[in-house]
Amino acid sequence: MDTPDTTPPPATPGSEPRTSYLEEKAFKARTLLVFGTITDTLAADVARRLIALDAESAEPIDMLVSSPGGHLESGDTMHALVRFITAPVNMIGTGWVGSAATHLYLAAPRERRFCLPNTRFLIHQPSGGAGGPASDIAIQAREIVKARERIARTIARQTGKPLEVVLADIERDHWLSAEEAVDYGLVSRIIENKAALRG
């Protein structure tokens, strides 16, 4: 009796290559993509990949970030893990890097923070939709103030800006172009290709 053919059918024109193939290539290239809204699901996925890449080698990991931000504590998780692992992480901003994504981006030391030419950055204080009894609203408001101060301290520490300047800047949405982000201390260098990253 003939054995059945288990070869997967060829991809149809215009279809996406298999996810596992792309993931394997990205892993071998030591590259992580953080695209879209930051959620606990995304943070868990990035955490697994960081730990796996760190266990594989102490060579640098390239993390490309294009995100409007999202859940602050999920950004905290990724920020902490970038600093926790042994392998250094090169942060590469592209598209836009905002809010909790900027917090993640600042996990790398300044000399390892890069961006592509058209990247925009957004720093601001955290926001929340407080609801419920007045006592719960007061608790949530206090927590937002604490988070605002923590974010401001991180930005100040990682950019060299005075804390009072950062606190004033994040009072409202503060947008920066790639060049402005370099001047502010968020970014070390604007690069146009991977060769410049290694240079």
Side-chain angles (χ1 to χ4, degrees), residues 65-67 92-98 105 114-122 175-182 187 189-193:
V65 181
S66 179
S67 168
I92 306 156
T94 180
W96 67 319
V97 180
Y105 182 85
F114 310 93
C115 76
L116 302 184
N118 295 319
T119 312
R120 292 197 307 156
F121 291 82
L122 170 63
W175 288 95
L176 301 102
S177 66
E179 292 80 6
E180 289 167 338
V182 171
V187 177
R189 272 193 299 131
I190 300 168
I191 60 173
E192 294 191 7
N193 53 56

Short mmCIF file of all heavy atoms in Angstrom, two decimals, residues 65-67 92-98 105 114-122 175-182 187 189-193:
data_model
loop_
_atom_site.label_atom_id
_atom_site.label_comp_id
_atom_site.label_asym_id
_atom_site.label_seq_id
_atom_site.Cartn_x
_atom_site.Cartn_y
_atom_site.Cartn_z
N VAL A 65 10.88 48.37 17.32
CA VAL A 65 9.68 48.81 18.03
C VAL A 65 8.90 49.81 17.19
O VAL A 65 9.44 50.82 16.75
CB VAL A 65 10.05 49.46 19.38
CG1 VAL A 65 8.78 49.89 20.14
CG2 VAL A 65 10.88 48.52 20.24
N SER A 66 7.64 49.48 16.93
CA SER A 66 6.70 50.40 16.29
C SER A 66 5.36 50.21 16.97
O SER A 66 4.63 49.27 16.66
CB SER A 66 6.59 50.11 14.78
OG SER A 66 5.67 51.01 14.19
N SER A 67 5.05 51.06 17.93
CA SER A 67 3.88 50.84 18.77
C SER A 67 3.37 52.16 19.34
O SER A 67 4.16 53.01 19.74
CB SER A 67 4.25 49.89 19.93
OG SER A 67 3.23 49.87 20.91
N ILE A 92 15.57 49.60 18.18
CA ILE A 92 15.49 50.30 16.90
C ILE A 92 14.06 50.79 16.72
O ILE A 92 13.14 49.99 16.52
CB ILE A 92 15.89 49.37 15.74
CG1 ILE A 92 17.27 48.76 16.00
CG2 ILE A 92 15.87 50.13 14.41
CD1 ILE A 92 17.54 47.47 15.29
N GLY A 93 13.86 52.09 16.83
CA GLY A 93 12.53 52.66 16.64
C GLY A 93 12.22 52.80 15.17
O GLY A 93 13.09 53.14 14.36
N THR A 94 10.97 52.55 14.81
CA THR A 94 10.52 52.72 13.44
C THR A 94 9.03 53.05 13.47
O THR A 94 8.33 52.62 14.39
CB THR A 94 10.79 51.47 12.59
OG1 THR A 94 10.31 51.69 11.25
CG2 THR A 94 10.11 50.23 13.15
N GLY A 95 8.55 53.80 12.52
CA GLY A 95 7.14 54.19 12.54
C GLY A 95 6.91 55.20 13.65
O GLY A 95 7.32 56.34 13.54
N TRP A 96 6.29 54.72 14.72
CA TRP A 96 6.17 55.59 15.90
C TRP A 96 6.33 54.78 17.16
O TRP A 96 6.02 53.60 17.21
CB TRP A 96 4.88 56.39 15.88
CG TRP A 96 3.58 55.64 16.03
CD1 TRP A 96 3.24 54.45 15.46
CD2 TRP A 96 2.44 56.06 16.78
NE1 TRP A 96 1.97 54.11 15.81
CE2 TRP A 96 1.44 55.08 16.61
CE3 TRP A 96 2.16 57.18 17.57
CZ2 TRP A 96 0.18 55.17 17.21
CZ3 TRP A 96 0.90 57.26 18.15
CH2 TRP A 96 -0.06 56.27 17.97
N VAL A 97 6.90 55.45 18.15
CA VAL A 97 7.18 54.82 19.43
C VAL A 97 6.56 55.73 20.48
O VAL A 97 7.04 56.83 20.72
CB VAL A 97 8.70 54.69 19.66
CG1 VAL A 97 8.99 54.02 21.00
CG2 VAL A 97 9.36 53.91 18.53
N GLY A 98 5.46 55.27 21.08
CA GLY A 98 4.73 56.15 21.97
C GLY A 98 4.39 55.53 23.31
O GLY A 98 4.26 54.31 23.44
N TYR A 105 11.37 51.14 25.08
CA TYR A 105 12.52 51.58 24.29
C TYR A 105 13.66 52.08 25.18
O TYR A 105 14.84 51.83 24.90
CB TYR A 105 12.04 52.69 23.34
CG TYR A 105 13.09 53.24 22.41
CD1 TYR A 105 13.36 52.61 21.19
CD2 TYR A 105 13.78 54.40 22.72
CE1 TYR A 105 14.31 53.12 20.33
CE2 TYR A 105 14.73 54.91 21.86
CZ TYR A 105 14.99 54.27 20.66
OH TYR A 105 15.94 54.78 19.80
N PHE A 114 18.58 53.31 18.81
CA PHE A 114 18.66 53.81 17.44
C PHE A 114 17.24 54.03 16.90
O PHE A 114 16.27 53.53 17.48
CB PHE A 114 19.38 52.82 16.53
CG PHE A 114 20.70 52.34 17.08
CD1 PHE A 114 20.79 51.19 17.84
CD2 PHE A 114 21.86 53.05 16.83
CE1 PHE A 114 21.99 50.74 18.35
CE2 PHE A 114 23.09 52.62 17.34
CZ PHE A 114 23.15 51.46 18.10
N CYS A 115 17.14 54.73 15.79
CA CYS A 115 15.84 54.81 15.10
C CYS A 115 16.07 55.04 13.62
O CYS A 115 17.13 55.53 13.20
CB CYS A 115 14.94 55.87 15.72
SG CYS A 115 15.36 57.58 15.30
N LEU A 116 15.07 54.68 12.84
CA LEU A 116 15.08 54.95 11.41
C LEU A 116 14.63 56.40 11.19
O LEU A 116 13.99 56.99 12.07
CB LEU A 116 14.19 53.95 10.68
CG LEU A 116 14.58 52.48 10.90
CD1 LEU A 116 13.70 51.55 10.07
CD2 LEU A 116 16.05 52.23 10.58
N PRO A 117 14.95 56.99 10.04
CA PRO A 117 14.80 58.45 9.88
C PRO A 117 13.41 59.02 10.11
O PRO A 117 13.28 60.15 10.57
CB PRO A 117 15.25 58.67 8.42
CG PRO A 117 16.17 57.54 8.12
CD PRO A 117 15.62 56.37 8.88
N ASN A 118 12.35 58.28 9.77
CA ASN A 118 11.00 58.85 9.86
C ASN A 118 10.27 58.49 11.15
O ASN A 118 9.06 58.69 11.25
CB ASN A 118 10.17 58.42 8.66
CG ASN A 118 10.72 58.99 7.36
OD1 ASN A 118 11.13 60.14 7.32
ND2 ASN A 118 10.77 58.19 6.32
N THR A 119 10.98 57.96 12.13
CA THR A 119 10.35 57.58 13.39
C THR A 119 9.89 58.80 14.17
O THR A 119 10.59 59.82 14.19
CB THR A 119 11.34 56.77 14.26
OG1 THR A 119 11.94 55.76 13.46
CG2 THR A 119 10.63 56.13 15.44
N ARG A 120 8.73 58.69 14.80
CA ARG A 120 8.26 59.74 15.71
C ARG A 120 8.11 59.13 17.10
O ARG A 120 7.76 57.97 17.25
CB ARG A 120 6.90 60.30 15.26
CG ARG A 120 6.97 61.10 13.98
CD ARG A 120 5.74 61.97 13.80
NE ARG A 120 4.50 61.22 13.91
CZ ARG A 120 3.33 61.77 14.25
NH1 ARG A 120 3.24 63.04 14.55
NH2 ARG A 120 2.24 61.02 14.32
N PHE A 121 8.38 59.94 18.10
CA PHE A 121 8.30 59.50 19.49
C PHE A 121 7.25 60.32 20.23
O PHE A 121 7.06 61.51 19.93
CB PHE A 121 9.66 59.65 20.18
CG PHE A 121 10.71 58.70 19.67
CD1 PHE A 121 11.42 58.98 18.52
CD2 PHE A 121 10.98 57.51 20.34
CE1 PHE A 121 12.38 58.10 18.04
CE2 PHE A 121 11.93 56.63 19.87
CZ PHE A 121 12.64 56.92 18.72
N LEU A 122 6.60 59.69 21.18
CA LEU A 122 5.60 60.38 22.01
C LEU A 122 5.85 60.04 23.47
O LEU A 122 5.90 58.87 23.85
CB LEU A 122 4.19 59.93 21.63
CG LEU A 122 3.05 60.39 22.56
CD1 LEU A 122 2.92 61.91 22.57
CD2 LEU A 122 1.73 59.74 22.16
N TRP A 175 5.40 65.30 21.30
CA TRP A 175 5.87 64.57 20.11
C TRP A 175 7.28 65.02 19.75
O TRP A 175 7.61 66.20 19.85
CB TRP A 175 4.94 64.83 18.93
CG TRP A 175 3.61 64.17 19.04
CD1 TRP A 175 2.45 64.71 19.52
CD2 TRP A 175 3.31 62.83 18.66
NE1 TRP A 175 1.44 63.79 19.46
CE2 TRP A 175 1.93 62.62 18.95
CE3 TRP A 175 4.05 61.78 18.13
CZ2 TRP A 175 1.29 61.42 18.69
CZ3 TRP A 175 3.42 60.57 17.87
CH2 TRP A 175 2.05 60.41 18.16
N LEU A 176 8.09 64.06 19.30
CA LEU A 176 9.45 64.38 18.85
C LEU A 176 9.73 63.66 17.54
O LEU A 176 9.42 62.47 17.40
CB LEU A 176 10.49 63.96 19.90
CG LEU A 176 10.37 64.57 21.29
CD1 LEU A 176 9.73 63.58 22.26
CD2 LEU A 176 11.74 64.96 21.81
N SER A 177 10.33 64.38 16.62
CA SER A 177 10.84 63.74 15.39
C SER A 177 12.10 62.96 15.75
O SER A 177 12.60 63.03 16.88
CB SER A 177 11.18 64.82 14.36
OG SER A 177 12.28 65.61 14.82
N ALA A 178 12.62 62.24 14.78
CA ALA A 178 13.86 61.48 15.03
C ALA A 178 14.98 62.41 15.48
O ALA A 178 15.69 62.13 16.45
CB ALA A 178 14.25 60.71 13.77
N GLU A 179 15.12 63.54 14.79
CA GLU A 179 16.19 64.49 15.14
C GLU A 179 15.97 65.09 16.53
O GLU A 179 16.91 65.25 17.32
CB GLU A 179 16.27 65.60 14.09
CG GLU A 179 16.75 65.17 12.72
CD GLU A 179 15.65 64.51 11.88
OE1 GLU A 179 14.46 64.49 12.32
OE2 GLU A 179 15.97 64.00 10.79
N GLU A 180 14.70 65.43 16.83
CA GLU A 180 14.39 65.99 18.14
C GLU A 180 14.62 64.95 19.25
O GLU A 180 15.05 65.31 20.35
CB GLU A 180 12.95 66.48 18.16
CG GLU A 180 12.72 67.72 17.32
CD GLU A 180 11.25 68.02 17.09
OE1 GLU A 180 10.41 67.10 17.20
OE2 GLU A 180 10.94 69.19 16.76
N ALA A 181 14.35 63.69 18.93
CA ALA A 181 14.56 62.62 19.92
C ALA A 181 16.05 62.44 20.23
O ALA A 181 16.42 62.14 21.36
CB ALA A 181 13.96 61.31 19.42
N VAL A 182 16.90 62.64 19.22
CA VAL A 182 18.35 62.60 19.46
C VAL A 182 18.74 63.75 20.38
O VAL A 182 19.47 63.57 21.36
CB VAL A 182 19.12 62.67 18.12
CG1 VAL A 182 20.62 62.86 18.39
CG2 VAL A 182 18.90 61.41 17.29
N VAL A 187 17.30 59.03 21.82
CA VAL A 187 17.95 58.24 20.76
C VAL A 187 19.43 58.59 20.69
O VAL A 187 19.80 59.75 20.83
CB VAL A 187 17.28 58.54 19.39
CG1 VAL A 187 17.97 57.80 18.26
CG2 VAL A 187 15.80 58.17 19.43
N ARG A 189 21.47 57.44 17.86
CA ARG A 189 21.79 57.71 16.46
C ARG A 189 20.62 57.37 15.56
O ARG A 189 19.89 56.41 15.83
CB ARG A 189 22.98 56.85 16.00
CG ARG A 189 24.33 57.46 16.23
CD ARG A 189 25.42 56.73 15.48
NE ARG A 189 25.55 55.33 15.87
CZ ARG A 189 25.61 54.32 15.01
NH1 ARG A 189 25.49 54.53 13.72
NH2 ARG A 189 25.78 53.09 15.45
N ILE A 190 20.47 58.14 14.50
CA ILE A 190 19.52 57.82 13.43
C ILE A 190 20.28 56.99 12.41
O ILE A 190 21.37 57.37 11.98
CB ILE A 190 18.97 59.09 12.77
CG1 ILE A 190 18.24 59.96 13.81
CG2 ILE A 190 18.04 58.74 11.61
CD1 ILE A 190 17.91 61.34 13.34
N ILE A 191 19.72 55.84 12.06
CA ILE A 191 20.38 54.97 11.08
C ILE A 191 19.44 54.70 9.91
O ILE A 191 18.23 54.83 10.03
CB ILE A 191 20.82 53.62 11.73
CG1 ILE A 191 19.61 52.86 12.28
CG2 ILE A 191 21.85 53.86 12.83
CD1 ILE A 191 19.93 51.47 12.77
N GLU A 192 20.04 54.31 8.79
CA GLU A 192 19.24 54.04 7.60
C GLU A 192 19.32 52.58 7.16
O GLU A 192 18.51 52.13 6.36
CB GLU A 192 19.66 54.95 6.44
CG GLU A 192 19.37 56.42 6.73
CD GLU A 192 19.53 57.29 5.48
OE1 GLU A 192 19.75 56.72 4.38
OE2 GLU A 192 19.45 58.52 5.63
N ASN A 193 20.28 51.84 7.68
CA ASN A 193 20.41 50.43 7.29
C ASN A 193 21.11 49.65 8.41
O ASN A 193 21.63 50.22 9.35
CB ASN A 193 21.20 50.30 5.97
CG ASN A 193 22.52 51.02 6.02
OD1 ASN A 193 23.35 50.76 6.90
ND2 ASN A 193 22.73 51.96 5.10
#
